[in-house]
Structures are given as C-alpha cells and as structure tokens.
Amino acid sequence: MIAANARIGVARSAYFPSLILTGNGGVEAATLADLFKWSSRAFLLGPLAGTALTVPIFDGGRRKGNLERANAIYEEDVALYRQKVLTAFREVEDNLSELRILRDQIKTQGEAVDASSKAQRISSVQYREGAINYLDVIDAQRTVLAAQRAAVQLAGAQAIATVNLVRALGGGWGNATSPDESTQSDKDALTP
C-alpha cells in the first residue's frame, strides 16, 4: 500500500518540469606528449556542460492516465488491505468463540465421564453382591469408554482451535527448536 502511494507521487511529478544536470570528464592537451599528465584532466559540470530542462507540454493524456492508474492501484491495495484485516478479525473471533464453546463442552463431558465412572463402580459392586448380571457391568464399562473417547475428541478439537487461533493472530512455530536441539546449542555455545 505504501509503494502504491509512492507511485501516485511519481505520477504527479510527471506534471512538473525536470532539470537534468550532466557532466563530462576527460582529458585535453595541446600536444600528444601532454595527454597523459595530471594537469591534462578536464571536467565540465552544470550549466557549462549538458544541462537540460524539460517541460511537459502535450502527451496525449498519458500523464493523466498514469496518475489515474496509480490512484486506482492504490485504492485497490487499500481495499485488499481492509479485506485482509477484516478476515483476520473474523478468524480470531471465530476461534475465540470456538474455544469458549469447547471449554463449556469439555466441562460438561468431564462431568459425564465422572458420572459414568461412578455408575460403572456401582454396577461392579452390585455384580459382586449378586444383584445384577455381568452384561450390565459390561454395558456400564462401555458407557465410560464412550464418554472418555468423546472427552479426548473434544480435547483434540480444542488443541486444533488453539493452533488456529495462534495462526490467525500471526504466530507460528517455524523457527522453534526441539528441547534436545536447544540443549545441544546451549552446550555448543558454552564450549570454548
């Protein structure tokens, strides 16, 4: 966006006259023997050499078209920037709300795991006492395992939502090192 803004300034500058100063350098001597002496050097700068003042008069609308094009590119870049910012805000908000919902679901699922575990313990005691058959105990164990599986799935979804939130905030692990690598690099830095 900054570059597009700078291009607008360049396009506007085409409306103004430009002054070009050039210089010439070389050697001049009266005789061939004096040509390579230090005193034979000659420099011409500024108005004595090639000074050129160019004034734009008529270009068939090229400057105006260039300025309009630069303004259009700038406006397009501003719109793309705004779209990216709004997309980033939406992603952050979506991931924050997903984490909040998952936190509530994990709490509820944890309560379900506790309740099914308690029911499984009760059914085991009832089986030992002879009040129920073993099929009821197996059914209670299956219920506990299903509740635990759902809790693990929710924890995985929470981890994915956390990673998505970090990514939406612009974070990443591209330069992260494993603990073994960082320990080795610390040891290498300490050895002379």
Side-chain angles (χ1 to χ4, degrees):
M1 207 167 72
I2 293 170
N5 192 21
R7 284 190 290 270
I8 291 173
V10 170
R12 279 195 184 132
S13 71
Y15 283 99
F16 302 107
S18 62
L19 178 66
I20 302 169
L21 296 176
T22 62
N24 290 328
V27 290
E28 64 181 32
T31 64
L32 189 59
D34 293 335
L35 190 61
F36 296 106
K37 291 185 179 176
W38 183 259
S39 59
S40 298
R41 291 179 310 143
F43 295 101
L44 296 174
L45 295 174
L48 301 176
T51 302
L53 178 64
T54 58
V55 179
I57 295 174
F58 180 73
D59 61 1
R62 182 180 51 124
R63 284 172 296 161
K64 182 179 179 185
N66 286 341
L67 181 61
E68 289 175 357
R69 179 176 174 268
N71 281 325
I73 290 172
Y74 175 75
E75 292 299 323
E76 179 184 9
D77 288 348
V78 168
L80 289 173
Y81 176 76
R82 286 181 182 156
Q83 180 183 4
K84 287 181 181 183
V85 168
L86 290 175
T87 300
F89 278 130
R90 180 185 48 82
E91 287 177 358
V92 168
E93 182 62 31
D94 289 349
N95 287 308
L96 284 173
S97 65
E98 185 177 358
L99 282 172
R100 182 185 49 79
I101 291 168
L102 285 170
R103 183 188 66 223
D104 294 342
Q105 288 177 345
I106 287 172
K107 180 182 173 192
T108 303
Q109 191 62 38
E111 292 170 356
V113 169
D114 292 341
S116 62
S117 295
K118 185 177 180 182
Q120 189 266 331
R121 285 191 302 273
I122 290 172
S123 66
S124 294
V125 169
Q126 288 177 340
Y127 173 72
R128 275 180 277 173
E129 296 294 324
I132 60 172
N133 61 21
Y134 194 68
L135 191 56
D136 294 331
V137 174
I138 292 174
D139 190 41
Q141 290 173 345
R142 182 189 52 81
T143 303
V144 170
L145 291 175
Q148 288 173 341
R149 183 173 141 227
V152 168
Q153 287 174 338
L154 286 173
Q158 185 182 33
I160 290 171
T162 302
V163 168
N164 287 337
L165 176 63
V166 170
R167 184 187 51 79
L169 289 172
W173 292 273
N175 294 332
T177 59
S178 68
D180 296 335
E181 291 174 356
S182 63
T183 305
Q184 183 62 34
S185 64
D186 292 341
K187 289 178 185 176
D188 291 343
L190 293 175
T191 55

